[in-house]
Amino acid sequence: MKVLIVDDSGAIRRFLKALLKDSDFTCIEAESGEEALNLVEYHTDLCAVLMDVHMPGMDGLETTRRIKKDNRYLPVIFVTSVDDEETLAKCFGAGGDDFLTKPLNKTTLICRLNSHRRFYSLATSMSEKNRELTYHQKLIEREHSVVEHVFANVINPAMASLDFVKTYLSPMSTFSGDLYLASTNAVGSTYLFLGDFTGHGLSAAIGCMPVTDIFYAMSSKCASVGEIAEEANRKLLNILPDNMFCCAVILELNAAQDYMRIWSGGMHDVLLVSSDNTVEGRIESQHMPLGVLSSGEFDKSAEVVPLAKGTRVIGFTDGVVEARGHNDEFFGEDNLCHAVEGADSPLDAILSAYQEFCPADAQEDDISIIELTAGVSDVLRLNHANKPNPRSKPMMFGDHKTGILPWNLTVKLNPSDFSRQGLINHVLGHMLAGGLEKEKQGNAFRIASELIDTRLLVLKPASTSNVTDVDFRSEEARVLAVAGAGVVYSGSDSQSIKNAKRLSIIELSNEFELNLSVSLDPVPVFSFDLSIQNCPCDDNADADRQGQDSVSFSDELEEIKFLSSLCRSLTVDNGCRIRAEVELLTENYQ
């Protein structure tokens, strides 16, 4: 290790050099302050400086001050024959680290140098680590800046601005493990997504981008919330590690804002607050979080909820209820619900209660709260009354400026056909062949596929003997008309299923006729017509068919009511026929 000896006396420099001859220190000499500064700058591996106080020109005090101006750690030991307190104060005030008085003792000198060498080695090591940390910090900040830019351009630009939805989003860091998305589509439906990935920060936010892409792409094509959840689950299952998943609530509000379809997996209860500010209901999570189950295990079924005007829908992530207060207790759902009761603004009331309960700056997780108010918005409603004026002349074949062809498809179906995915694909194929690309379908294919879904069929028994009552909310009652499974009859009471009977639909002899068509005037319309042939409940049925068990469409199901809100019209005729009309999306059609 190198030591710099600074003294205007050559004899003193030689004496100090002789004292250090047998040590492992290498000596470098300077006879003035100016020369010392040049040597300090040149020799970056100096471990100490032995400095004389009084020198002509730049003295030892000024030389030390200039050495200490650099951030570099270099111990300066003053060597002088003056030992009064005033001189000591000046030496340490100039930045000196130690003080030796003449005459010098070899042992004392070497011990002092060894001590300062240890401090020098430690300081040098810390300085090197600090430079490394600074480099990595700048690298991380640059990478975060890039990722933040990407996130902002992926998530925020597509976010719908909704005057009937209030939000509070508070991430723990730059990147949030909570995800809030909102969109509206061309038929006036509103979609909301509230998700909570495992953990928080950048690692938790990794799954946000694919979910965002899926949500906006599928909601724009009028997909159901169950289909969005199913696709998001498939994607996250493939890309996330086993210990990560996403609890989520996905909801769709129809254009009239009187019905909501909701899929909830792993989230806390969604609260329904009436217009008179009371909690009138809870929607419990019925599913596992996204990214946990395989496609075969995943359940995409969603719940349909009717909404009165002014009803508030409150969703929140666990960062709210699991926040710790002054006594290390959780905020909890009880405090949240208590805050909501009687509050004109539930979200503001929750925040006020949360801030009063928790210490300032005590947030431990990402926090997200949404408040949706039904029936108070001016969201675009696409109906026949506000469509552009239709063409004044009939649309002739070969003059289809919309790119849509008029067509008609009639299919005879047996009960077993309803269990085949090929039936849905066949319908979609005809729609695409007729020029109905996905951007033009609106709700058409969705309505067709959901009305073909045999969950809308119920068993209508001819007699009530030997029939067991079934709770409408039970799993048994939810299993409807899938081939090999069973069907049930709801009767006139939508809250309970009376006179239920287990029966496989493939045991029935009913035939069905499906008619699909597209007409172009006065506006492009997709028509769906599914009828049960020779139904026993039909007055025109064969005499030998009347009095037999049959299946029928039930207009008591909430699913029918929700789908009706997405159509231009939807009717159920005596349980034997269901018809729907959906306007198609053709911006160029005038």
Side-chain angles (χ1 to χ4, degrees):
M1 301 291 287
K2 295 179 181 178
V3 175
L4 175 62
I5 301 173
V6 184
D7 200 300
D8 61 314
S9 172
I12 297 298
R13 297 198 303 271
R14 288 190 295 272
F15 173 72
L16 292 174
K17 190 173 181 180
L19 291 178
L20 298 175
K21 181 179 180 181
D22 296 330
S23 66
D24 56 354
F25 292 102
T26 301
C27 296
I28 301 172
E29 300 177 37
E31 62 179 355
S32 66
E34 292 83 358
E35 184 181 4
L37 292 178
N38 291 331
L39 292 173
V40 167
E41 184 178 356
Y42 180 78
H43 295 279
T44 58
D45 54 348
L46 288 173
C47 68
V49 177
L50 296 176
M51 181 73 70
D52 185 20
V53 177
H54 301 291
M55 294 184 296
M58 186 184 296
D59 64 9
L61 298 177
E62 180 60 25
T63 304
T64 301
R65 290 190 189 96
R66 297 195 182 189
I67 290 174
K68 293 296 184 178
K69 282 185 178 179
D70 296 334
N71 292 327
R72 170 185 171 189
Y73 178 77
L74 181 59
V76 176
I77 304 170
F78 282 100
V79 180
T80 182
S81 57
V82 182
D83 60 354
D84 60 278
E85 291 185 359
E86 183 180 355
T87 302
L88 286 174
K90 290 181 179 180
C91 290
F92 285 109
D97 298 282
D98 207 345
F99 192 95
L100 289 173
T101 58
K102 301 173 183 177
L104 295 177
N105 178 279
K106 179 178 180 178
T107 302
T108 301
L109 176 60
I110 293 176
C111 288
R112 291 288 183 89
L113 286 174
N114 282 331
S115 176
H116 284 288
R117 178 168 59 179
R118 287 192 295 270
F119 282 113
Y120 170 82
S121 298
L122 180 60
T124 302
S125 176
M126 292 177 62
S127 179
E128 187 64 32
K129 296 296 183 184
N130 185 58
R131 281 195 292 270
E132 291 180 9
L133 290 174
T134 301
Y135 168 77
H136 287 294
Q137 177 66 25
K138 291 181 178 179
L139 184 63
I140 290 173
E141 289 176 355
R142 180 179 178 277
E143 291 177 347
H144 276 205
S145 177
V146 172
V147 176
E148 187 176 4
H149 177 80
V150 173
F151 269 64
N153 282 279
V154 169
I155 296 176
N156 294 334
M159 185 82 70
S161 179
L162 306 173
D163 59 359
F164 58 95
V165 179
K166 296 172 61 178
T167 63
Y168 176 78
L169 309 174
S170 177
M172 271 284 291
S173 60
T174 303
F175 302 101
S176 176
D178 288 359
L179 178 63
Y180 166 71
L181 304 170
S183 73
T184 57
N185 59 23
V187 297
S189 295
T190 300
Y191 292 80
L192 299 182
F193 181 103
L194 182 62
D196 183 1
F197 284 85
T198 309
H200 51 262
L202 181 57
S203 61
I206 290 175
C208 292
M209 291 180 63
V211 171
T212 299
D213 288 341
I214 290 169
F215 175 81
Y216 287 125
M218 297 188 70
S219 61
S220 67
K221 297 174 182 176
C222 306
S224 68
V225 292
E227 291 170 332
I228 295 174
E230 184 177 39
E231 180 60 19
N233 177 78
R234 183 194 65 80
K235 189 68 173 181
L236 293 180
L237 187 65
N238 290 334
I239 67 174
L240 292 183
D242 293 339
N243 62 340
M244 286 188 66
F245 51 81
C246 178
C247 300
V249 169
I250 313 173
L251 64 85
E252 176 191 3
L253 189 67
N254 67 336
Q257 296 196 345
D258 54 359
Y259 274 96
M260 172 181 72
R261 180 177 281 184
I262 183 169
W263 184 97
S264 180
M267 290 286 276
H268 292 276
D269 294 352
V270 173
L271 304 182
L272 299 177
V273 182
S274 65
S275 57
D276 60 0
N277 303 327
T278 59
V279 179
E280 62 179 1
R282 294 168 176 255
I283 303 175
E284 298 179 354
S285 173
Q286 300 292 332
H287 306 284
M288 293 290 285
L290 301 174
V292 174
L293 300 177
S294 65
S295 297
E297 300 171 309
F298 188 80
D299 181 7
K300 67 176 182 179
S301 61
E303 184 175 352
V304 176
V305 181
L307 298 174
K309 183 177 181 179
T311 298
R312 271 72 58 82
V313 181
I314 311 298
F316 50 90
T317 57
D318 58 12
V320 184
V321 295
E322 294 180 5
R324 296 181 183 272
H326 296 278
N327 298 323
D328 205 35
E329 297 178 351
F330 290 126
F331 182 67
E333 287 194 38
D334 290 341
N335 282 331
L336 187 145
C337 292
H338 180 73
V340 168
E341 286 283 355
D344 292 332
S345 175
L347 188 147
D348 293 337
I350 293 171
L351 286 180
S352 178
Y354 166 82
Q355 292 166 357
E356 181 179 348
F357 181 87
C358 300
D361 301 323
Q363 184 175 337
E364 298 178 347
D365 195 3
D366 303 315
I367 294 177
S368 299
I369 311 171
I370 62 172
E371 175 188 329
L372 180 151
T373 305
V376 297
S377 76
D378 56 356
V379 173
L380 175 65
R381 294 170 174 82
L382 293 181
N383 51 48
H384 185 65
N386 62 20
K387 290 289 285 184
N389 293 328
R391 294 171 58 94
S392 58
K393 63 179 183 179
M395 175 72 76
M396 303 299 293
F397 192 81
D399 189 27
H400 304 299
K401 293 185 178 180
T402 63
I404 298 174
L405 299 175
W407 54 268
N408 183 284
L409 170 69
T410 300
V411 184
K412 298 287 187 179
L413 301 171
N414 293 315
S416 60
D417 293 327
F418 286 91
S419 65
R420 299 173 182 172
Q421 181 62 31
L423 176 59
I424 302 296
N425 293 335
H426 187 63
V427 171
L428 177 60
H430 273 271
M431 295 175 73
L432 294 175
L436 279 183
E437 295 89 352
K438 290 187 177 181
E439 62 270 14
K440 297 179 181 178
Q441 290 175 11
N443 279 323
F445 177 67
R446 176 182 177 181
I447 294 298
S449 61
E450 294 207 31
L451 291 180
I452 288 174
D453 189 337
T454 53
R455 287 179 301 175
L456 303 180
L457 291 171
V458 295
L459 173 68
K460 192 166 186 178
S463 65
T464 59
S465 59
N466 300 321
V467 178
T468 305
D469 289 350
V470 177
D471 184 351
F472 179 75
R473 294 164 296 180
S474 69
E475 180 64 25
E476 180 182 8
R478 294 177 184 274
V479 180
L480 303 179
V482 177
V487 292
V488 292
Y489 176 59
S490 63
S492 60
D493 186 354
S494 61
Q495 298 302 315
S496 62
I497 295 180
K498 301 292 184 180
N499 303 324
K501 182 177 180 181
R502 302 290 293 175
L503 181 67
S504 171
I505 195 171
I506 59 176
E507 299 177 40
L508 302 175
S509 58
N510 295 83
E511 290 185 348
F512 301 84
E513 181 175 289
L514 172 64
N515 185 278
L516 305 176
S517 64
V518 170
S519 58
L520 301 179
D521 284 307
V523 292
V525 172
F526 172 80
S527 299
F528 176 98
D529 188 341
L530 179 62
S531 60
I532 303 173
Q533 302 295 292
N534 201 18
C535 180
C537 61
D538 189 345
D539 295 337
N540 298 322
D542 296 342
D544 58 349
R545 291 283 296 168
Q546 297 184 5
Q548 296 183 10
D549 291 351
S550 67
V551 292
S552 67
F553 300 105
S554 173
D555 55 7
E556 294 295 325
L557 296 176
E558 295 291 354
E559 284 84 350
I560 290 289
K561 297 177 181 178
F562 178 78
L563 292 176
S564 178
S565 70
L566 304 180
C567 300
R568 176 177 173 177
S569 65
L570 191 153
T571 58
V572 176
D573 299 338
N574 197 29
C576 298
R577 186 178 186 184
I578 186 167
R579 292 181 291 178
E581 289 188 345
V582 182
E583 292 188 15
L584 303 175
L585 303 179
T586 54
E587 296 181 358
N588 296 328
Y589 188 71
Q590 299 179 353

